[in-house]
Amino acid sequence: EGHQTINLAEYSHMSVDCLLDYIYTAYPELQPTADVGELLRLGEFLQLDWFVKDLVKSIRITIYDGNCCAWYRIGKLSGVEKLFNF
């Protein structure tokens, strides 16, 4: 009673591990091989607004005219409007 089960089967083990590391370590840092698009979807799914905000902040400094369309698509697919609404 009072427990809720969340099915994370559609997310990779690496993304779930990366999220848990980010939450529970004193100095969170994303793994270089992390799938940022999947992490955005996972953060949205779990309604972790602070996590999504941190991801968007780190992504925005890497956006330039050569990759802006790819980031726009990732933002649309993940449901993270903050990524493509400047």
Side-chain angles (χ1 to χ4, degrees), residues 14-15 18 30-39:
M14 180 182 284
S15 289
C18 187
L30 291 179
Q31 301 167 5
T33 57
D35 181 341
V36 179
E38 186 173 65
L39 286 171

Side-chain angles (χ1 to χ4, degrees), residues 11-51:
Y11 302 98
S12 71
H13 181 71
M14 180 182 284
S15 289
V16 174
D17 277 353
C18 187
L19 174 64
L20 292 174
D21 285 347
Y22 195 86
I23 291 171
Y24 291 110
T25 59
Y27 301 99
E29 188 174 310
L30 291 179
Q31 301 167 5
T33 57
D35 181 341
V36 179
E38 186 173 65
L39 286 171
L40 284 168
R41 286 190 312 108
L42 181 57
E44 280 292 301
F45 175 73
L46 296 174
Q47 299 177 353
L48 298 173
D49 295 337
W50 59 269
F51 179 68

Side-chain angles (χ1 to χ4, degrees), residues 35-80:
D35 181 341
V36 179
E38 186 173 65
L39 286 171
L40 284 168
R41 286 190 312 108
L42 181 57
E44 280 292 301
F45 175 73
L46 296 174
Q47 299 177 353
L48 298 173
D49 295 337
W50 59 269
F51 179 68
V52 172
K53 183 180 175 182
D54 284 356
L55 284 174
V56 169
K57 185 178 175 183
S58 68
I59 291 167
R60 282 202 171 155
I61 61 174
T62 68
I63 296 176
Y64 63 98
D65 59 352
N67 68 3
C68 63
C69 291
W71 282 119
Y72 178 82
R73 280 191 303 278
I74 289 170
K76 283 293 218 182
L77 290 172
S78 65
V80 178

